[in-house]
Structures are given as structure tokens and as C-alpha cells.
Amino acid sequence: HGGVCDEPARQRGLRTFALRQERACANAAELARRLSEHDAIAVVHHPSLPSHPGHALATRQMHAYGVLLSFELKDGIERGRRVIEALKVATHAVSLGDVRTLVVHPASTTHSTMPAETRKLGGIGDGLIRVSCGIESANDLIRDFDAALLG
């Protein structure tokens, strides 16, 4: 006994956590950079971007900028729904945090029962999409979002 098969799965997962986190953070930074150049997007929120209000602080304090990002489409709720439905690599989910890239459009899902004005007060615009980047190929993610944004 004492072999790898006896080791609990969570302990095996810890061995690759740093590698997975590094990849997911790199994917988030690259996706944020590419999305910030897209004509259909008004703003991208990720501390790796020099335009982010917390960029300087994040650069001083963090070794990576994190896996979470969000962006606001120039169009509203219907465009947000279409983008989410068109994604093939990223997975629509209301929870965030996985080895897969997960996305949510709060205005049509988690916050859909909240009045639009109340959502806006909380920083949740009609076109806001939240992304938790996973470990897929960054190029696959970029192509996926590009195709969904063209639809």
C-alpha cells in the first residue's frame, strides 16, 4: 500500500495547482488584452490592463493578475445572451472557478430579477459578461470569443 492510487484526489490536485493557476492567469491576461481591442466591447475589467484603476497596485502586489475578468458589451441584454449562447469553448455557468473557462451574463441569469437601475447601481450593466478563465489554449479562447462577438 501507500501508492498513488491510495492518495486522495484533492491531494493529487494540489500537486498541479500552481501550474493550473499560472496557466489560467496567463489566459485571463491575454484574453483581457485581446477583448480590450474589440469594437463590440466598451470596457474590459482586469488588473493586467494599464487602463484598469488598480493596475499599478496589482503590479506591485501580485505575481499574476488573477483568473477573473469582466467586460461590458456596447449593446445590452440581448447581445449578452447571444454572445453567451454562441461560445463553444467557454462554458456558460452561474458559478465561477474550474479548469474550464466559465462565463456568466448576470443581467439575463443571476441578476435577471433585479431591476435594471438597481443592477446599474451595483456595477452590473446590461452587457456585462463575467469570465473565470481556465486552462484551455489561449488561442482557442480568443477564437471562441471573437466568433461569439461577431454573431
Side-chain angles (χ1 to χ4, degrees), residues 47-132:
S48 67
L49 298 172
S51 59
H52 189 277
H55 176 74
L57 179 63
T59 299
R60 284 193 311 275
Q61 291 184 345
M62 303 169 80
H63 69 276
Y65 296 101
V67 302
L68 299 175
L69 66 104
S70 64
F71 61 92
E72 185 81 36
L73 295 165
K74 289 180 180 174
D75 298 329
I77 289 179
E78 288 307 314
R79 179 72 185 270
R81 281 191 194 123
R82 287 194 311 270
V83 167
I84 292 292
E85 291 169 359
L87 291 167
K88 305 286 187 235
V89 176
T91 302
H92 183 219
V94 295
S95 64
L96 303 174
D98 196 288
V99 294
R100 299 169 299 159
T101 295
L102 305 176
V103 295
V104 65
H105 177 236
S108 67
T109 58
T110 57
H111 293 73
S112 62
T113 60
M114 185 182 288
E117 289 305 314
T118 305
R119 281 197 316 265
K120 283 183 186 179
L121 289 172
I124 302 169
D126 289 345
L128 181 72
I129 294 180
R130 292 180 175 160
V131 182
S132 174

